[in-house]
């Protein structure tokens, strides 16, 4: 029998769509995967580059600051040593002035100052024209002809030019600072001009204040250094103190921003009013992120937004032992760094679109060529799957490709063989099912027929055993053996009846929440006598109650009884361990699914060889090497496995070999 293809026109749009859509989707997914991978890779590269750039720029700024600010401190220490050794003094103030002028030229500082406790003051300040002015003030001057202030102008070559007797102009703030030296040691102070003043008190060996040294340093070179740093377009690096005064920045700032004048009137931080938008937004981000500039204690790296742009920001504290406490901030825009990534992504999308259109056209044409023969083949396969056997002509694929033609011929042969095979298997399967049904019915009826006479015989034996004085000890022992054998035979009939009911589907569980600890107590209590007769110990380890499982109570009790009796039967000496626990669901990954209860019955009995363990759940299976007096009919574990399966549970047997005991594990779902 074959399947004939019809020549009626069929709709090709659906078939073409079915063939073209996967190709287009594959191209789309492939393009999306490449684009996403390229984007993520580029994003990680940009983040790594931005992090490295921040670290390098911050490191250079820290290194420059350490070197640049070391000069005023070294000058103060050098001058302190010279004053202590009386190398310089106010008596020869022009010689001392020349000494200070040489330091000013060598280290490019703005001014060098010294105030002696009772003698007076010596000031050397650089003018805007490059000339220097040396001032000396004597507080203990008693000569009326000699004014307290004396000054001299020094050329760029260090020569003394004209003298004057007017007090210094513009140095009032510095004089006030020198008059109030710090009590705790050398400190940095920022002047209203924006320059930095290093003030160091000088004490004699007795601990008395001898004088005050000061070195004025310009911050303009620091700004020049920041402006020369290689940052991306739109990136900014700036230094701000804890009070919000902008010390220096890579972007030009008005004098009010650097000196801290702006913002003092309204109580806000001066840096928050910066004329540069990036600096202003970065400062706001710092205040918002940390709650204030005082809270920043270590280097931090994070992101912030400015309009539609995103920035990488790193803030690094800078402190020294003279009380300087600044923050170095480097902000680099993410947008500029991501521009090549977006361009690359755009190219990928354009090429992907071209590929998608090309693949769609090719798939559409290919579907038109293969559509008709494949449709006929699909229809015939549908008929074959539905077992619509009918005399038909063979399928013809002359208008198709060679591969499709070979496929059609193979299908014709397969259809004929499949029809014959399926028909034969259905007949054999029906015969086997009927045989199996008759076997179960026969065994069930046989068990039911034997149960009544066996029960009556056991009752008669028990009645005779109730009169021990009428029989001899041998007769009583024989009656006990007879009752024991009858009981085992009755249990066998009941097991056979249960097994046939399970196979025929007549036994269905009534699932409910079963208290596992209470049920185990009942099973153990019923077998206390058997444990004492076998001289076996019992060790229990129960999961903290209450522990309820979803099961049929009678079925679960029957399973536990079978397993417990097997442990007693096959253990000559030692003990039996009974434990309960819970575990995550086997084969499940969801965190919200209920756990499973694990019941373990272990014995120290004869054990089972590994090659025989898989056979134990089959009916009438007996263990090789087991003593004859301990052999059973081989139905207990088969019934237990079927009952556990009906209750949606699992049962396992594990033994390391003969003489090494056996462990039976039962897994059931925990009741909610």
């Amino acid at each position: 029998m074959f399947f004939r293809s019809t020549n009626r026109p069929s709709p090709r749009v659906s078939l073409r769509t079915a063939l073209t859509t996967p190709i287009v989707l594959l191209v789309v997914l492939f393009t999306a995967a490449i684009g996403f991978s390229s984007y993520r890779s580029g994003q990680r590269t940009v983040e790594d580059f931005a992090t490295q750039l921040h670290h390098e720029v911050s490191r250079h700024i820290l290194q420059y600051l350490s070197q640049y600010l070391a000069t005023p401190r070294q000058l103060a220490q050098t001058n302190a040593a010279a004053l202590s050794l009386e190398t310089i003094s106010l008596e020869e103030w022009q010689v001392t002035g020349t000494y200070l002028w040489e330091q000013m030229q060598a280290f490019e500082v703005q001014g060098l100052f010294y105030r002696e406790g009772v003698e007076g003051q010596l000031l050397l300040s650089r003018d805007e024209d490059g000339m220097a002015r040396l001032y000396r003030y004597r507080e203990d001057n008693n000569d009326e002809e000699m004014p307290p202030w004396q000054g001299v102008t020094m050329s760029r070559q260090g020569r003394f030019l004209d003298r004057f007797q007017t007090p210094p102009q513009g140095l009032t703030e510095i004089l006030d600072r020198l008059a109030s030296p710090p009590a705790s040691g050398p400190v940095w102070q920022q002047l209203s001009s924006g320059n930095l003043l290093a003030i160091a008190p000088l004490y004699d060996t007795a601990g008395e204040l001898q004088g005050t040294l000061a070195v004025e340093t310009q911050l303009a070179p620091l700004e020049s250094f920041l402006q020369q740093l290689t940052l991306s377009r739109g990136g900014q690096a700036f230094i701000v103190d804890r009070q919000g005064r902008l010390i220096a920045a890579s972007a030009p700032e008005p004098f009010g921003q650097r000196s801290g004048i702006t913002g003092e009137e309204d109580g806000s931080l001066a840096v928050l009013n910066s004329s540069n938008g990036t600096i202003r937004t970065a400062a706001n981000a710092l205040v918002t992120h940390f709650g204030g500039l005082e809270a920043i204690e270590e280097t931090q790296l994070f992101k912030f937004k400015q309009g539609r742009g995103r920035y990488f920001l790193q803030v690094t504290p800078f402190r020294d032992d003279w009380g300087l406490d600044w923050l170095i901030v480097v902000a680099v825009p993410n947008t500029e760094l991501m521009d090549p990534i977006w361009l690359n992504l755009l190219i990928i999308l354009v090429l992907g679109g071209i590929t998608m259109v090309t693949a769609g056209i090719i798939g559409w044409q290919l579907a038109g060529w293969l559509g008709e023969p494949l449709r006929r083949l699909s229809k015939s396969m549908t008929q074959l799957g539905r077992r619509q056997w009918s005399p038909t002509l063979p399928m013809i694929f002359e208008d198709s490709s060679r591969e499709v033609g070979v496929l059609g011929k193979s299908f014709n042969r397969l259809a004929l063989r499949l029809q014959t095979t399926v028909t034969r298997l259905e007949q054999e399967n029906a015969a086997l099912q009927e045989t199996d049904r008759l076997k179960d019915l026969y065994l069930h009826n046989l068990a039911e027929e034997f149960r009544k006479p066996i029960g009556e015989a056991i009752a008669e034996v028990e009645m005779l055993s109730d009169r021990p004085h009428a029989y001899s000890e041998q007769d009583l022992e024989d009656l006990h053996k007879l009752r024991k054998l009858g009981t085992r035979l009755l249990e066998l009939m009941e097991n056979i009846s249960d097994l046939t009911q399970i196979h025929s589907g007549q036994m269905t569980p009534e699932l409910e929440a079963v208290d596992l600890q209470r049920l185990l107590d009942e099973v153990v209590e019923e077998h206390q006598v058997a444990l004492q007769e076998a001289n076996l110990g019992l060790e229990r380890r129960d999961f903290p109650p209450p522990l309820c499982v979803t099961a049929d109570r009678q079925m679960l009790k029957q399973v536990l009884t079978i397993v417990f009796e097997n442990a007693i039967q096959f253990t000559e000496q030692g003990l039996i361990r009974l434990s309960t626990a819970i575990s995550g669901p086997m084969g499940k990954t969801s965190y919200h699914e209920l756990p499973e209860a694990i019941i373990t019955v272990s014995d120290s009995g004869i054990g089972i060889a590994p090659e025989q363990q898989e056979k134990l759940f089959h009916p009438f299976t007996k263990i090789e090497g087991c003593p004859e007096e301990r052999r059973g009919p081989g139905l207990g574990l088969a019934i237990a496995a079927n009952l556990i399966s009906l209750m949606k549970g699992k049962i396992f047997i594990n033994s390391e070999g003969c003489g090494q005991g056996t462990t039976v594990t039962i897994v059931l779902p925990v009741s909610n």
Side-chain angles (χ1 to χ4, degrees):
M1 295 184 182
F2 301 92
F3 296 94
R4 179 190 303 145
S5 62
T6 61
N7 294 325
R8 291 177 299 175
S10 58
R12 299 188 179 185
V13 175
S14 60
L15 183 59
R16 283 181 170 179
T17 302
L19 290 176
T20 306
T21 301
I23 299 176
V24 175
L25 288 178
L26 183 62
V27 173
V28 171
L29 292 176
F30 185 71
T31 303
I34 292 179
F36 180 76
S37 176
S38 176
Y39 172 77
R40 291 295 299 165
S41 177
Q43 191 178 43
R44 286 192 296 268
T45 302
V46 166
E47 291 180 355
D48 293 342
F49 173 75
T51 302
Q52 184 178 0
L53 179 62
H54 281 93
H55 290 338
E56 289 296 322
V57 172
S58 299
R59 184 177 62 84
H60 282 303
I61 296 176
L62 285 172
Q63 183 178 2
Y64 181 82
L65 275 178
S66 299
Q67 295 176 354
Y68 184 73
L69 297 180
T71 299
R73 294 187 299 182
Q74 291 173 357
L75 285 178
Q77 294 171 354
T78 302
N79 292 337
L83 289 169
S84 299
L85 298 175
E86 297 183 356
T87 304
I88 58 176
S89 65
L90 293 181
E91 295 296 332
E92 300 179 356
W93 64 282
Q94 292 187 350
V95 175
T96 303
T98 304
Y99 172 77
L100 297 179
W101 179 87
E102 291 177 353
Q103 288 184 341
M104 177 185 292
Q105 301 302 318
F107 298 101
E108 298 182 355
V109 294
Q110 179 66 21
L112 296 167
F113 314 102
Y114 174 67
R115 176 186 178 92
E116 195 166 349
V118 297
E119 294 293 334
Q121 301 171 7
L122 184 65
L123 312 177
L124 178 64
S125 177
R126 187 194 304 270
D127 289 342
E128 295 181 358
D129 57 359
M131 306 288 282
R133 293 183 179 272
L134 179 63
Y135 303 92
R136 182 206 181 210
Y137 178 76
R138 291 295 299 262
E139 295 182 357
D140 57 347
N141 187 10
N142 297 322
D143 191 352
E144 297 180 357
E145 297 181 357
M146 182 176 296
W149 278 104
Q150 301 181 43
V152 61
T153 303
M154 301 182 67
S155 67
R156 297 184 181 91
Q157 293 75 28
R159 294 194 300 270
F160 293 102
L161 301 178
D162 53 322
R163 293 176 177 269
F164 52 87
Q165 298 178 357
T166 58
Q169 300 295 327
L171 298 179
T172 305
E173 181 181 3
I174 297 177
L175 294 176
D176 294 339
R177 302 284 179 92
L178 293 177
S180 302
S184 59
V187 294
W188 291 100
Q189 293 187 4
Q190 189 171 5
L191 301 174
S192 58
S193 62
N195 292 343
L196 203 61
L197 187 66
I199 302 177
L202 179 63
Y203 298 93
D204 57 16
T205 56
E208 298 293 334
L209 181 65
Q210 183 178 352
T212 304
L213 294 170
V215 180
E216 183 182 4
T217 304
Q218 290 183 323
L219 296 181
L222 184 56
E223 279 200 1
S224 301
F225 172 77
L226 294 180
Q227 294 172 4
Q228 293 174 2
L229 291 175
T230 304
L231 293 174
S232 58
R233 178 168 47 89
Q236 296 293 338
F238 61 94
I239 303 173
V240 63
D241 63 9
R242 300 288 181 164
Q243 289 72 39
R245 293 190 295 267
L246 192 61
I247 305 301
S250 56
E253 288 286 341
F255 172 76
Q257 300 294 338
R258 295 197 307 270
S259 61
I261 297 174
T262 303
E264 291 182 355
E265 298 177 357
D266 57 1
S268 62
L269 300 180
V271 70
L272 300 181
N273 301 319
S274 172
S275 60
N276 185 273
T278 302
I279 296 177
R280 185 173 60 253
T281 308
N284 275 288
L286 286 174
V287 174
T288 303
H289 188 79
F290 296 100
L293 301 181
E294 298 83 0
I296 304 174
E297 297 296 334
E298 58 184 10
T299 300
Q300 298 285 343
L301 180 65
F302 62 96
K303 300 177 182 178
F304 71 93
K305 289 184 178 181
Q306 180 185 1
R308 296 183 178 180
R310 298 177 63 89
Y311 282 75
F312 295 98
L313 184 145
Q314 176 172 315
V315 54
T316 304
F318 175 79
R319 301 183 178 93
D320 67 356
D321 52 2
W322 280 35
L324 199 64
D325 192 3
W326 289 349
L327 296 176
I328 300 173
V329 185
V330 180
V332 177
N334 182 33
T335 305
E336 181 183 354
L337 299 178
M338 287 295 294
D339 285 344
I341 309 301
W342 291 117
L343 179 60
N344 185 36
L345 187 61
L346 178 62
I347 295 174
I348 292 176
L349 293 178
V350 171
L351 294 178
I354 296 174
T355 306
M356 181 181 64
V357 173
T358 305
I361 295 174
I362 295 175
W364 191 268
Q365 296 298 327
L366 181 62
W369 181 51
L370 296 176
E372 180 61 23
L374 292 180
R375 187 194 64 80
R376 298 201 305 267
L377 179 60
S378 176
K379 182 178 179 180
S380 299
M381 292 181 67
T382 303
Q383 294 176 350
L384 183 63
R386 294 175 179 175
R387 301 181 184 178
Q388 297 176 352
W389 314 118
S390 60
T392 58
L393 295 175
M395 293 184 63
I396 301 175
F397 292 91
E398 295 179 354
D399 56 341
S400 305
S401 64
R402 183 176 61 183
E403 290 78 5
V404 177
V406 172
L407 180 62
K409 294 177 182 179
S410 300
F411 174 77
N412 289 332
R413 292 192 297 269
L414 176 63
L416 180 59
R417 293 178 182 176
L418 183 61
Q419 178 184 354
T420 305
T421 303
V422 168
T423 303
R424 178 173 56 83
L425 291 177
E426 286 179 345
Q427 295 173 354
E428 294 178 357
N429 186 51
L432 290 174
Q433 290 179 352
E434 180 64 19
T435 302
D436 190 59
R437 187 187 67 82
L438 294 175
K439 181 261 295 180
D440 289 340
L441 181 61
Y442 172 75
L443 289 176
H444 180 71
N445 293 334
L446 183 65
E448 293 297 325
E449 289 293 331
F450 275 98
R451 287 175 65 180
K452 185 176 180 180
I454 294 173
E456 293 175 353
I458 293 174
E460 291 292 335
V461 171
E462 290 178 348
M463 185 176 62
L464 294 175
S465 300
D466 292 337
R467 298 181 292 172
H469 300 291
Y471 303 97
S472 63
E473 292 184 1
Q474 182 63 37
D475 292 337
L476 291 175
E477 185 177 351
D478 292 339
L479 288 174
H480 178 71
K481 291 181 179 180
L482 185 59
R483 183 176 61 180
K484 188 175 181 180
L485 291 174
T487 303
R488 291 186 62 184
L489 186 57
L490 183 61
E491 291 177 353
L492 176 61
M493 294 299 104
E494 291 177 350
N495 289 339
I496 292 175
S497 178
D498 291 342
L499 192 61
T500 56
Q501 286 183 343
I502 293 173
H503 285 175
S504 61
Q506 298 178 5
M507 185 177 292
T508 56
E510 296 181 1
L511 300 179
E512 59 180 345
V514 179
D515 190 331
L516 188 57
Q517 267 74 17
R518 184 175 298 177
L519 184 60
L520 288 173
D521 291 340
E522 294 180 10
V523 174
V524 171
E525 182 64 27
E526 293 175 0
H527 292 82
Q528 282 292 345
V529 177
L531 287 170
Q532 293 174 1
E533 291 178 354
N535 197 22
L536 297 176
L538 177 64
E539 179 182 311
R540 286 188 63 175
R541 294 182 180 178
D542 292 331
F543 187 81
L547 176 57
C548 296
V549 296
T550 302
D552 186 298
R553 196 178 192 281
Q554 290 302 120
M555 289 186 179
L556 181 56
K557 184 175 181 179
Q558 184 176 355
V559 171
L560 294 174
T561 300
I562 292 172
V563 174
F564 205 73
E565 289 179 351
N566 281 351
I568 297 175
Q569 180 181 354
F570 294 103
T571 305
E572 296 181 356
Q573 60 181 359
L575 55 83
I576 297 174
R577 295 181 177 89
L578 176 61
S579 65
T580 57
I582 63 171
S583 175
M586 295 184 178
K588 302 176 183 178
T589 57
S590 175
Y591 175 79
H592 302 284
E593 294 189 58
L594 290 176
E596 294 173 326
I598 300 176
I599 310 166
T600 304
V601 180
S602 302
D603 61 64
S604 56
I606 62 175
I608 308 170
E611 61 273 8
Q612 299 187 49
Q613 295 177 15
E614 297 181 358
K615 307 175 184 178
L616 291 176
F617 295 117
H618 300 294
F620 305 104
T621 299
K622 297 186 178 181
I623 303 174
E624 297 179 4
C626 177
E628 187 65 29
E629 66 274 7
R630 296 182 180 272
R631 286 180 180 268
L635 293 176
L637 288 178
I639 294 174
N642 282 277
L643 293 178
I644 289 294
S645 179
L646 289 176
M647 292 184 290
K648 310 299 182 183
K650 308 177 189 70
I651 184 169
F652 309 95
I653 289 184
N654 182 39
S655 177
E656 296 184 1
C658 296
Q660 302 188 40
T662 305
T663 299
V664 179
T665 303
I666 301 172
V667 181
L668 290 170
V670 172
S671 175
N672 58 357

